[in-house]
Amino acid sequence: MSLGTINTILNTAPIVIQGATRLIKLIRDQGNDNKLEEEIPDTIDGIKKEIDRLQQRLDANNESNVEQIKLIEELAKQNESLATQLKNTITHLNRITFIAIIAVVVSLFCLIYTFK
């Protein structure tokens, strides 16, 4: 692994962890909101209040969904960056391996030539 790849991983790891932690927190908070006691209203005013409360919950859920989507997009971008770095590292490793193989072959020819 190249130094640049390790540096990229170390720099983005805290951001990935923070994003995942926020996503988990949002999901847990959303689950806790659903456990509220629901009462059947007796009057029209009660029904209106219940509708307002439900509308607020829907708005909160929509905001939560948007936040979750943003976090997922951010994590996807970070994963893409890490994948690109890994691909570059593998390319460099393949080049170094090729050069090493050529060096071994050349050294073997030199050894064979010197013993003749």
Side-chain angles (χ1 to χ4, degrees):
M1 226 181 248
S2 73
L3 189 58
T5 304
I6 293 172
N7 195 20
T8 302
I9 291 171
L10 291 176
N11 288 335
T12 57
I15 298 169
V16 171
I17 292 169
Q18 287 173 354
T21 303
R22 288 192 325 205
L23 181 60
I24 290 169
K25 183 180 177 192
L26 284 172
I27 292 170
R28 284 184 183 161
D29 290 345
Q30 187 178 12
N32 290 339
D33 290 343
N34 292 336
K35 295 178 181 178
L36 297 174
E37 291 184 19
E38 297 183 21
E39 297 179 8
I40 299 174
D42 295 332
T43 63
I44 297 292
D45 289 335
I47 292 174
K48 288 179 182 178
K49 289 179 184 177
E50 183 67 18
I51 289 173
D52 288 339
R53 188 181 69 77
L54 289 173
Q55 187 63 43
Q56 289 175 351
R57 283 181 59 192
L58 286 173
D59 291 341
N61 283 342
N62 286 340
E63 291 174 14
S64 174
N65 289 341
V66 169
E67 278 294 315
Q68 290 174 10
I69 290 170
K70 287 179 182 178
L71 287 172
I72 290 169
E73 287 175 348
E74 183 179 323
L75 292 172
K77 288 176 185 176
Q78 291 171 359
N79 285 344
E80 181 180 0
S81 173
L82 289 173
T84 302
Q85 287 292 328
L86 184 60
K87 182 179 178 183
N88 290 340
T89 301
I90 290 172
T91 301
H92 291 296
L93 183 61
N94 288 340
R95 288 178 185 163
I96 290 170
T97 304
F98 180 73
I99 291 171
I101 290 171
I102 290 175
V104 167
V105 170
V106 168
S107 64
L108 287 175
F109 280 131
C110 289
L111 283 173
I112 293 170
Y113 180 72
T114 57
F115 286 120
K116 279 188 175 186

